[in-house]
Amino acid sequence: MARLVRRVLIVEDDHALCAALARLARTWGTDVWQVHSIAAATAKLADSPDLMIVDVRLPDGDSFGLIEVALASKPAPVVVAISGTASPEEAFRLGQLGVRAYVAKPFSVDSLTAEVETALTATSNLAPLVAARVGQTPLRDLQSEVRRVMIDQALALADGSRSGAARLLQVSRQAVQQVMRDRSEGGDDDVDGTS
């Protein structure tokens, strides 16, 4: 794995497949948690997984709500969905939610590993999302939202360290501090990295 993954949450109701996925994830040098339902997975999100491999269909429902909750958490994990029965519409919805990869069952170890690696390292194409906001969201508001999300995620990944967040964002610590100060004062939150 090119990116360090310390904690993996596997959500799969087939116990044998879940155990096989856990063995694979342990080869990446990680702590691995195995759960078999949405309820158990929701409880495990409190442990801040870096990566979540989740079956789309589970005994207690589909995993769309679980994925939304996971991706709204700070820090948000990278999510890879797996399924043998997801429709094209469901696969599209997974992408809209922010799932980084979808792997159809059955799959090989190599294909899953490649998809996880891509999910962890590939840069998302934000152009379609941003283009869809033209005429609906003022540029300044969209810029502020992007900054807010990036700062919040970086601070969560850096355990609240502003210096660590600055390293992740490739800006100065002072730039992060300025954003935090402006937020507390209700002002604009520009980050340009030159402060």
Side-chain angles (χ1 to χ4, degrees):
M1 290 285 112
R3 175 178 161 184
L4 177 64
V5 177
R6 297 173 296 165
R7 298 172 301 268
V8 177
L9 174 59
I10 299 171
V11 188
E12 169 60 59
D13 60 315
D14 179 318
H15 290 255
L17 178 56
C18 191
L21 291 171
R23 282 190 301 276
L24 174 62
R26 283 188 190 95
T27 67
W28 304 332
T30 62
D31 291 328
V32 178
W33 304 303
Q34 302 173 63
V35 298
H36 310 291
S37 68
I38 293 168
T42 301
K44 219 46 189 156
L45 288 176
D47 292 329
S48 299
D50 301 306
L51 172 66
M52 188 167 91
I53 300 173
V54 60
D55 192 356
V56 174
R57 299 212 196 294
L58 296 160
D60 51 346
D62 68 46
S63 59
F64 293 106
L66 169 66
I67 291 167
E68 286 181 273
V69 170
L71 292 174
S73 61
K74 300 291 183 259
V78 170
V79 178
V80 174
I82 58 176
S83 179
T85 60
S87 68
E89 294 81 17
E90 289 171 319
F92 179 75
R93 184 171 171 210
L94 291 167
Q96 286 181 311
L97 290 174
V99 171
R100 298 297 301 266
Y102 169 74
V103 183
K105 294 178 185 176
F107 50 80
S108 69
V109 167
D110 290 341
S111 66
L112 178 64
T113 301
E115 289 295 332
V116 168
E117 181 72 28
T118 299
L120 291 169
T121 59
T123 303
S124 296
N125 181 4
L126 297 178
L129 297 172
V130 173
R133 303 309 311 156
V134 173
Q136 297 179 16
T137 305
L139 178 60
R140 185 176 190 89
D141 293 350
L142 187 60
Q143 288 172 323
S144 292
E145 180 64 8
V146 169
R147 279 191 298 272
R148 183 193 64 76
V149 169
M150 290 185 75
I151 292 279
D152 289 350
Q153 179 73 358
L155 284 166
L157 288 170
D159 296 323
S161 165
R162 291 178 182 186
S163 295
R167 277 191 296 280
L168 290 170
L169 295 170
Q170 300 177 9
V171 299
S172 70
R173 182 179 52 79
Q174 291 82 4
V176 173
Q177 288 176 305
Q178 183 62 47
V179 168
M180 301 308 296
R181 191 171 26 255
D182 288 346
R183 271 194 198 170
S184 67
E185 296 168 1
D188 186 25
D189 51 78
D190 286 327
V191 174
D192 64 11
T194 59
S195 299

